[in-house]
Amino acid sequence: MADGFVPVHNSRTMVYGNNNQFTIRMELVQKLQGGVIIEVSDAEEAKIAEEAGACSIVVHHGTPRMPTPDLIKEIKQSVSIPVMARVRVGHFVEAQILEAIGVDYVDESELLGIADNDNYINKRNFCVPFACGCKHLEEAFMRVTEGATIIWMQGSRSRWSSSRPDSIVETVQIVRSVMMEVRNLTNADEDEVFTFAKKMAVPYDLVAQIRQIGRLPVLLFAAGGIWTPADAALMMQLGCDGVYIGSEIFSCVDPYKQVQAIVQAVKHYNDPHVLAESSSGLEDTESEDDGGFIAYLV
């Protein structure tokens, strides 16, 4: 992870309109950098996440549509950290409703399904910042061009279950691939930048900006298969700005302790001694979703 804030550059690609809405939205998400975002299903889980040090929560209610406004309001009243809620891909009316009730961030998520097969939401029409997923750099470029300020580098699109033993492999592959392509772009010459932009079908200014600053100009969070402090630190050392933890974390014997340990690992991801201490004393946990057993043995 790069130290300090994600740089926001004033270019015609990254700034929309006269009031510089992209920069404003980026300022709203800066507080999440170096943090842990936890998926929760009710106010009680939200309180645990906040007390354990999460920087934000994502409301998950187990149905393939936007959470109910009543649930979101209840959770918002129970915590002081930012609250994110999901909408279906392309469903801009769901996003309008979430913005109207005061969510801090909107996640346009394939996890809920797709409302529009051809179009993602034009996020530039909103004041609230958006998060979107990607499986490769070209997809990340597309979402940033639409106005996203948080990108999930995510494993399985059907679910980001921490209980899937193979999902962290997929997430690591995606993170490494995106970071490698950005490094290649950083080392490209001027002619290659034009070719890169044409190949990706994205604005040249965006590609040139990423080449200049050496990273995507948005927050990059790893999502999928992150269960232990070591998993979280791995993602940070690979270059992520933070990690997303699914609601399966609440199946732990002591979810508060598990989340707290992951939060510490993200803060001190380059210190093996702190990581060893954070990893100590965590209990085995059973996953009911897969009918299997995932153990984190100390």
Side-chain angles (χ1 to χ4, degrees):
M1 183 190 71
D3 293 331
F5 290 135
V6 175
V8 178
H9 288 251
N10 188 11
S11 74
R12 65 178 181 271
T13 299
M14 304 314 300
V15 175
Y16 302 104
N18 295 328
N19 54 0
N20 207 346
Q21 283 297 318
F22 183 86
T23 301
I24 293 171
R25 290 194 294 269
M26 276 305 306
E27 290 172 351
L28 293 174
V29 303
Q30 295 284 13
K31 66 182 75 174
L32 304 182
Q33 191 170 21
V36 177
I37 298 176
I38 305 291
E39 181 185 72
V40 304
S41 58
D42 55 40
E44 189 60 34
E45 291 179 355
K47 291 176 185 177
I48 293 172
E50 180 178 34
E51 291 169 0
C55 67
S56 179
I57 54 175
V58 179
V59 179
H60 166 75
H61 68 320
T63 59
R65 62 188 62 86
M66 176 192 77
T68 65
D70 289 340
L71 175 61
I72 295 171
K73 290 176 182 178
E74 179 186 358
I75 291 176
K76 278 185 66 66
Q77 290 172 358
S78 69
V79 296
S80 59
I81 57 177
V83 174
M84 184 184 300
R86 294 190 177 121
V87 301
R88 286 169 284 180
V89 170
H91 205 315
F92 56 85
V93 174
E94 287 185 341
Q96 290 169 356
I97 293 171
L98 292 183
E99 184 172 51
I101 64 175
V103 298
D104 298 285
Y105 312 110
V106 173
D107 179 16
E108 186 177 12
S109 174
E110 294 89 352
L111 293 176
L112 294 190
I114 298 174
D116 188 330
N117 280 322
D118 299 319
N119 302 287
Y120 276 72
I121 296 171
N122 183 355
K123 303 152 201 45
R124 293 174 286 176
N125 291 335
F126 293 83
C127 294
V128 63
F130 274 74
C132 288
C134 83
K135 294 182 78 70
H136 46 73
L137 184 61
E138 182 177 0
E139 193 171 13
F141 276 152
M142 293 169 65
R143 303 291 83 83
V144 172
T145 301
E146 294 161 358
T149 51
I150 302 169
I151 296 294
W152 310 119
M153 292 186 288
Q154 62 192 41
S156 172
R157 289 296 177 91
S158 60
R159 69 187 215 184
W160 299 340
S161 173
S162 299
S163 61
R164 290 185 60 206
D166 60 334
S167 57
I168 192 171
V169 175
E170 191 175 359
T171 304
V172 169
Q173 289 173 338
I174 293 167
V175 171
R176 282 193 176 277
S177 173
V178 169
M179 298 302 179
M180 181 182 67
E181 289 190 83
V182 170
R183 286 195 299 271
N184 291 341
L185 176 58
T186 302
N187 295 324
D189 62 33
E190 194 68 27
D191 292 337
E192 291 170 332
V193 173
F194 280 103
T195 303
F196 194 97
K198 183 177 180 180
K199 179 182 177 182
M200 293 285 184
V202 294
Y204 167 79
D205 285 352
L206 173 58
V207 178
Q209 180 189 29
I210 292 170
R211 175 175 176 259
Q212 176 189 357
I213 65 178
R215 59 161 294 151
L216 284 164
V218 296
L219 294 187
L220 302 175
F221 272 69
I226 302 167
W227 184 260
T228 70
D231 292 340
L234 171 64
M235 297 302 175
M236 300 301 288
Q237 290 194 29
L238 288 176
C240 296
D241 294 306
V243 300
Y244 166 98
I245 307 296
S247 59
E248 293 82 7
I249 198 75
F250 293 100
S251 68
C252 289
V253 175
D254 189 346
Y256 171 85
K257 188 173 183 179
Q258 190 87 11
V259 173
Q260 187 180 52
I262 291 172
V263 168
Q264 288 302 308
V266 168
K267 289 180 179 178
H268 305 282
Y269 63 92
N270 268 329
D271 189 332
H273 298 289
V274 174
L275 296 177
E277 183 178 351
S278 299
S279 301
S280 300
L282 301 181
E283 302 292 337
D284 297 348
T285 184
E286 185 173 356
S287 168
E288 297 178 357
D289 288 344
D290 286 350
F293 186 79
I294 300 297
Y296 181 45
L297 302 176
V298 181

